[in-house]
């Protein structure tokens, strides 16, 4: 086993030091709203020019791994997901924090991230050839149906009314069309110059989640936080979280399987993995109504999924040169800068560098969990901050995070407008999650549909409906819609029964 042979290289003093600092830095960057894993890795690329190839890849890999998990910190504590991959985490993570269970939520976040991440890296180590072959089977038609499957879960994450969830999702789909057509370049719905570049996902994400929270805090309507429930953590409480997390086999399995599968698909991303895993865990739960109100399984499934996708997302990158996620695309630049080209040579000629990098991902998962649990013990101080001070801090982070994405004032204005509108919409029962999901999936759906139509020519029906993968995903879409309808009718019956009594 070559990965065992080169495992000692990870613990060489220079490499291990870089791994430690990369992990800590990734957690801090991930906790900063707007600084997504993709941006964090891209910012560090210039620093790798003069580094040893193995050391540079270790640093980039550590930052990638830790940033994905670190984005949950701001999401759970202040309701601002650090990156799109953490959207699903806050649906139950922040309600847990409001109930005085912030450290508990962070425990579940980092422990499940470690478990999902290790499973993902092990898949990368042992199943690279078959996974690479699977990745090649996904073209525009398959990606289109995967995106449609994501659209079918919009209603179920609305946090209440299915109708309101669908309306919010439809608004998100419409927002995704603002700007220029991704294939033909036509301008659409550009009412002002500030919308010429479309609505950036990060700007929308921060605005829709952060600004309503700020306005709620300033307005004095925020849920009061109990200081009694926040106690200094003990070793026992950490082990208790371990025991509980490991006992949630269903949530961990769904999250890890969904995350690993989505990770192999080129271009899908961690946000889809987390949301799909969250939705499937909710559907298979004995008490779906508990989700969205502080259900630990929601955090466990989402975080195990978005970290399980890290390892498989590197499979098509290392073997075929096809990035499995936006961050993997930036990592491709790190490989090329060091004279490493994807393909068989990575595992033969450059085996030492490649296996040292992959082994560092495995060790990095453990370090991420250790340092993450250390951060969790100090979450009590964040939750005790006075609400007006918290509101000021959140608005500063929101503006900084939004502006830093593209150095654009227009993004900041879009963020503030969307957030203000979302505040009023939330007062009448609408949720931000389906809207953001519609925005993300709208871009993916439209791009792959248009590309598929161009490839298919006159046989669009045959192109989109033929092939085993297309048929399997179409059946999944139908089943997802049918279950949503069945679940909604069940909720209506229960409400009527309660009203009758």
């Amino acid at each position: 086993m070559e990965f065992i042979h080169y495992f000692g290289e990870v613990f060489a003093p220079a490499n291990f030091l870089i791994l430690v600092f990369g992990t800590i830095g990734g957690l801090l960057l991930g906790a900063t709203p707007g600084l997504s894993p993709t941006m964090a890795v891209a910012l560090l690329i210039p620093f790798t020019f003069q580094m040893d190839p193995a050391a540079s890849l270790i640093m980039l890999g550590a930052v990638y791994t830790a940033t994905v998990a670190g984005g949950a910190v701001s999401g759970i504590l202040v309701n601002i997901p650090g990156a799109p991959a953490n959207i699903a985490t806050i649906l139950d993570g922040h309600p847990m924090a409001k109930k005085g269970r912030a450290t508990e939520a962070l425990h579940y976040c980092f422990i499940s991230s470690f478990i999902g991440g290790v499973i993902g890296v092990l898949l990368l180590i042992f199943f690279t050839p078959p996974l690479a072959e699977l990745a090649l089977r996904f073209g525009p038609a398959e990606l289109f149906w995967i995106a449609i499957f994501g659209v079918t879960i919009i209603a179920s994450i609305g946090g209440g009314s299915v109708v309101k969830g669908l309306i919010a999702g439809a608004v998100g789909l419409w927002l995704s069309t603002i700007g220029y057509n991704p294939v033909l370049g036509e301008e659409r719905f550009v009412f002002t110059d500030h919308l010429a570049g479309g609505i950036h996902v990060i700007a929308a994400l921060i605005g829709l989640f952060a600004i309503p929270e700020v306005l709620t805090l300033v307005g004095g309507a925020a849920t009061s936080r109990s200081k009694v429930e926040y106690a200094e953590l003990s070793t026992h409480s950490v082990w208790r979280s371990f025991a509980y997390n490991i006992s949630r086999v269903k949530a961990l399995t769904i999250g890890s399987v969904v995350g690993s599968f989505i990770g192999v698909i080129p271009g899908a991303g961690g946000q889809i993995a987390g949301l799909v895993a969250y939705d499937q865990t909710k559907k298979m739960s004995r008490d779906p109504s508990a989700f969205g109100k502080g259900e630990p399984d929601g955090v466990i499934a989402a975080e195990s999924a978005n970290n399980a996708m890290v390892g498989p997302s590197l499979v098509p990158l290392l073997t075929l040169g096809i990035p499995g996620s936006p961050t993997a695309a930036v990592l491709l630049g790190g490989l090329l800068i060091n004279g490493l080209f994807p393909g068989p040579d990575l595992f033969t000629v450059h085996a030492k560098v490649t296996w040292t990098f992959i082994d560092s991902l495995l060790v990095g998962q453990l370090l991420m969990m250790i340092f993450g649990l250390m951060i969790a013990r100090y979450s009590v101080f964040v939750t005790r901050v006075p609400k007006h001070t918290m509101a000021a801090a959140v608005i500063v982070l929101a503006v900084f995070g939004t502006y830093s994405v593209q150095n654009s004032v227009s993004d900041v204005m879009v963020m503030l407008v969307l957030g203000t509108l979302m505040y009023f919409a939330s007062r009448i029962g609408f949720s931000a999650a389906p809207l953001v999901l519609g925005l993300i999936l709208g871009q993916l759906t439209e791009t792959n549909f248009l590309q598929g139509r161009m490839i298919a020519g006159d046989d669009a029906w045959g192109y989109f409906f033929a092939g085993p993968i297309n048929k399997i995903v179409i059946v999944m879409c139908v089943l997802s819609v049918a279950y949503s309808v069945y679940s909604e009718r069940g909720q209506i019956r229960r409400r009527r029964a309660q009203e009758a009594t």
Side-chain angles (χ1 to χ4, degrees):
M1 289 290 190
E2 285 189 287
F3 85 94
I4 295 177
H5 178 72
Y6 293 107
F7 210 83
E9 294 293 328
V10 179
F11 295 96
N15 290 343
F16 188 70
L17 193 63
I18 288 172
L19 181 59
V20 170
F21 280 107
T23 302
I24 296 173
L27 287 171
L28 297 176
L29 289 172
T32 305
L35 291 180
S36 63
T38 305
M39 184 183 297
V41 174
L43 289 172
L44 293 174
I45 288 285
F47 295 96
T48 66
F49 290 164
Q50 303 299 322
M51 294 177 65
D52 176 76
S56 66
L57 291 177
I58 286 173
M59 181 176 72
L60 297 178
V63 170
Y64 181 13
T65 298
T67 309
V68 173
V73 175
S74 59
I76 290 171
L77 296 180
V78 294
N79 203 35
I80 310 177
N86 305 110
I87 295 172
T89 306
I90 72 170
L91 298 179
D92 281 290
H94 189 60
M96 287 184 70
K98 285 186 173 182
K99 293 178 179 179
R101 302 167 65 190
T103 51
E104 183 184 348
L106 288 171
H107 282 177
Y108 298 148
C109 160
F110 289 113
I111 296 168
S112 58
S113 293
F114 165 71
I115 295 171
V118 168
I119 291 173
V121 176
L122 291 177
L123 288 174
L124 170 63
I125 292 172
F126 293 109
F127 299 101
T128 292
L131 290 176
E133 184 179 346
L134 175 64
L136 283 175
R137 295 178 180 272
F138 282 85
E142 289 78 10
L143 289 174
F144 167 76
W145 286 115
I146 288 290
I148 292 297
F149 178 67
V151 171
T152 65
I153 74 173
I154 283 178
S156 63
I157 64 170
S161 169
V162 170
V163 174
K164 290 180 179 178
L166 290 172
I167 292 173
V171 172
L173 291 170
W174 170 67
L175 290 176
S176 72
T177 65
I178 294 176
Y180 289 93
N181 183 302
V183 175
L184 304 177
E186 299 170 338
E187 190 175 77
R188 305 165 304 180
F189 304 114
V190 180
F191 312 116
T192 170
D193 290 342
H194 296 298
L195 296 174
I199 295 179
H200 197 282
V201 172
I202 297 295
L205 180 68
I206 294 175
L208 292 170
F209 284 101
I211 301 305
E213 187 75 8
V214 169
L215 294 176
T216 301
L217 289 170
V218 172
T223 302
S224 61
R225 297 183 172 92
S226 170
K227 296 183 180 181
V228 177
E229 295 182 67
Y230 295 111
E232 292 296 327
L233 293 182
S234 64
T235 304
H236 173 70
S237 65
V238 174
W239 287 114
R240 188 168 56 195
S241 296
F242 259 110
Y244 180 83
N245 204 306
I246 294 172
S247 71
R248 311 309 294 169
V249 176
K250 184 188 295 183
L252 284 171
T253 302
I254 293 173
S256 299
V257 171
V258 169
S260 299
F261 177 72
I262 296 294
V264 175
I265 302 172
Q271 58 269 27
I272 297 178
L275 286 163
V276 171
Y278 179 89
D279 175 69
Q280 296 305 307
T281 304
K282 179 180 178 180
K283 286 177 177 176
M284 296 184 186
S285 172
R286 294 180 179 178
D287 184 15
S289 62
F291 283 75
K293 301 174 184 176
E295 171 58 52
D297 278 4
V299 177
I300 292 170
E303 283 302 306
S304 59
N306 62 32
N307 277 267
M309 62 84 58
V310 171
S313 73
L314 300 178
V315 171
L317 170 69
L318 297 177
T319 57
L320 308 168
I322 304 172
S325 69
T327 314
V330 180
L331 276 174
L332 176 60
L335 286 171
L336 299 178
I337 286 171
N338 286 284
L340 304 172
F341 296 91
D345 283 355
L346 278 181
F347 297 91
T348 54
V349 179
H350 305 290
K352 181 179 179 180
V353 173
T354 303
W355 285 112
T356 301
F357 166 58
I358 293 174
D359 290 340
S360 74
L361 293 176
L362 205 56
V363 179
Q365 299 291 342
L366 178 61
L367 293 176
M368 174 271 295
M369 181 184 66
I370 292 172
F371 292 126
L373 292 175
M374 291 172 64
I375 291 173
R377 69 180 297 128
Y378 298 108
S379 64
V380 59
F381 299 113
V382 176
T383 56
R384 286 176 175 170
V385 173
K387 60 186 179 183
H388 289 89
T389 305
M390 177 67 77
V394 170
I395 195 66
V396 169
L397 286 172
V399 172
F400 169 76
T402 304
Y403 183 79
S404 66
V405 176
Q406 299 184 123
N407 294 333
S408 171
V409 175
S410 294
D411 282 348
V412 176
M413 295 181 67
V414 168
M415 180 269 293
L416 293 172
V417 171
L418 286 178
T420 304
L421 293 175
M422 189 66 240
Y423 169 74
F424 292 107
S426 65
R427 301 294 292 270
I428 55 174
F430 286 91
S431 172
L435 199 155
V436 174
L437 182 58
L439 177 62
I440 293 170
L441 293 175
Q443 298 172 352
L444 184 64
T445 304
E446 182 184 23
T447 300
N448 285 291
F449 178 74
L450 293 175
Q451 289 178 350
R453 282 295 306 273
M454 295 175 68
I455 294 171
D458 296 331
D459 189 25
W461 179 270
Y463 180 77
F464 281 99
F465 290 88
I469 295 179
N470 284 339
K471 293 175 181 177
I472 291 172
V473 180
I474 290 171
V475 171
M476 290 169 58
C477 291
V478 174
L479 292 175
S480 179
V481 172
Y483 183 88
S484 295
V485 173
Y486 172 78
S487 177
E488 174 68 3
R489 293 182 67 178
Q491 290 179 16
I492 292 173
R493 285 195 300 268
R494 285 192 293 271
R495 281 199 298 268
R496 287 177 178 173
Q498 290 174 357
E499 291 171 359
T501 56

